Amino acid sequence: MTPLAPPATIAFIGLGMMGRPMATRLVAAGFKLRVFDVSQKAVSDFVGAHPSALATASAKAAAQGADALITMLPDGKIVRQAVLEGRDPAVDGLAPGAIVMDMSSSNPVDTQKLARDLAARGLALLDAPVSGGVKRAVDGSLSIMVGGGAADLERARPVFGAMGKTITLCGPAGAGHALKALNNYLSAAGLVAMCEALVVGEAFGLDPGTMVDVFNTSTGKSNATEVKGRQQVVSRAFAAGFATSLMAKDLRTAGDVAKFLKLKMPGLEQAVAYWNDADVKLGKGSDHTEIFRYAEMLAEKEG
Ligand code: NAD
């Protein structure tokens, strides 16, 4: 099968915090884009900045004539609606042989079903969630975790290569989404641990900036201490570009996978409850780094 090299046509659905910079990388690499988002502003901003991209009014219209379809949507339920079951879904526009790439962080069990349903329509699915956040979406150095067939990945490699630096085939359909949810469990746990350490340390009289610097040269070092500690938390910028609601969703996904496999995971269950409550208490639109504010709120209650 011929690789999907530029100027192949890609339908891109979901131009949010991540989708916009990822689609920008594809335009820069020479792909032809047909874009759709339920937010008309997201679409008009994108085609305003990239006149070679075509604005479309539905997932079906975006998919027409496309060699591949990328979804970068909040969750797997929304992906299923956009691709298969909603109004004017992408499947009604895609030609057989096209590849669907779900780069959202979706539920892997739902992804396995979507892969079967799409295969019945002659369409291959690759789950290809990403890690690295907005910064690495902008510079094209995302880590991409792929689930699906090796031959389909080889076909899609030039597309992924425009957006990511590390592309890992994790296993069959759903494997990428499973690994992504588990990765975010680690990421969330590291962030909460750092925030609690900072709250306790500050109360003891330690300087939070000094604490982060010491973590970063000590065994407490993590992604949280390296890229969120001083930049987002100590500065109280709280603007990493990844919503608390999406992190809570990823934790629920990891918890659901464990439950589906009938595995008891008390630490994960606690993390799910912690992030679900934080999502409610921090309010709509909060950044996940505001989990520090949640840690402060809980600490106050103890006093
Ligand atoms: P976002 O909320 O900023 O963007 C989602 C976009 O999807 C929005 O523009 C929204 O209007 C659009 N949308 C929603 N429903 C739609 C529909 N039915 N049809 C078309 N468009 C629709 O989210 P994001 O931060 O870009 O995250 C997208 C996915 O990537 C999520 O699954 C998230 O968990 C994952 N992710 C995010 C980050 C991050 O740092 N933000 C990092 C890695 C993975």
Side-chain angles (χ1 to χ4, degrees):
M1 273 192 275
T2 340
L4 285 165
T9 300
I10 298 173
F12 200 106
I13 304 180
L15 298 166
M17 293 301 295
M18 291 296 283
R20 187 184 164 104
M22 287 163 67
T24 298
R25 297 284 312 176
L26 294 173
V27 171
F31 289 100
K32 285 193 220 138
L33 257 67
R34 300 171 64 85
V35 297
F36 173 64
D37 192 296
V38 281
S39 157
Q40 283 177 6
K41 184 180 178 322
V43 174
S44 57
D45 283 356
F46 189 82
V47 296
H50 308 286
S52 69
L54 187 80
T56 66
S58 67
K60 176 184 171 184
Q64 266 154 4
D67 302 299
L69 170 89
I70 293 179
T71 44
M72 194 54 179
L73 295 165
D75 62 43
K77 303 257 177 287
I78 295 174
V79 171
R80 190 168 176 91
Q81 289 298 309
V83 173
L84 199 60
E85 287 175 350
R87 205 165 128 237
D88 292 329
V91 277
D92 290 351
L94 286 173
I99 298 189
V100 177
M101 306 169 194
D102 179 22
M103 304 192 75
S104 331
S105 304
S106 303
N107 184 305
V109 180
D110 294 345
T111 301
Q112 290 173 334
K113 180 165 168 21
L114 184 63
R116 289 192 295 273
D117 293 340
L118 290 179
R121 312 214 19 177
L123 297 164
L125 174 72
L126 290 172
D127 44 306
V130 304
S131 186
V134 174
K135 193 166 170 285
R136 283 169 60 189
V138 170
D139 70 21
S141 67
L142 291 167
S143 167
I144 305 181
M145 308 160 211
V146 184
D152 292 325
L153 169 57
E154 285 324 303
R155 225 180 129 208
R157 197 174 282 279
V159 178
F160 293 148
M163 296 179 281
K165 205 163 160 191
T166 318
I167 300 159
T168 310
L169 182 59
C170 306
H177 280 152
L179 188 33
K180 168 66 187 174
L182 295 170
N183 173 77
N184 277 25
Y185 171 37
L186 264 65
S187 173
L191 181 60
V192 170
M194 177 187 75
C195 290
E196 290 193 342
L198 288 174
V199 171
V200 175
E202 234 181 318
F204 191 77
L206 293 170
D207 173 63
T210 305
M211 287 181 73
V212 170
D213 293 345
V214 171
F215 293 149
N216 282 333
T217 53
S218 308
T219 52
K221 181 166 83 170
S222 68
N223 174 269
T225 64
E226 281 190 309
V227 308
K228 298 170 190 167
R230 270 191 178 273
Q231 301 88 328
Q232 305 296 338
V233 173
V234 176
S235 67
R236 300 190 84 88
F238 302 131
F242 180 44
T244 307
S245 59
L246 292 177
M247 183 63 108
K249 175 254 322 183
D250 290 342
L251 271 287
R252 287 195 296 275
T253 301
D256 287 349
V257 172
K259 266 191 216 148
F260 177 79
L261 297 168
K262 300 194 178 1
L263 298 168
K264 181 83 187 144
M265 290 289 140
L268 177 52
E269 280 167 29
Q270 264 183 12
V272 173
Y274 189 95
W275 282 87
N276 278 342
D277 189 54
D279 186 23
V280 173
K281 303 270 163 57
L282 290 171
K284 206 170 153 34
S286 70
D287 190 87
H288 78 294
T289 54
E290 289 181 68
I291 201 71
F292 180 66
R293 293 207 300 109
Y294 180 69
E296 288 178 321
M297 279 182 221
L298 294 183
E300 268 173 30
K301 276 194 187 154
E302 280 298 305

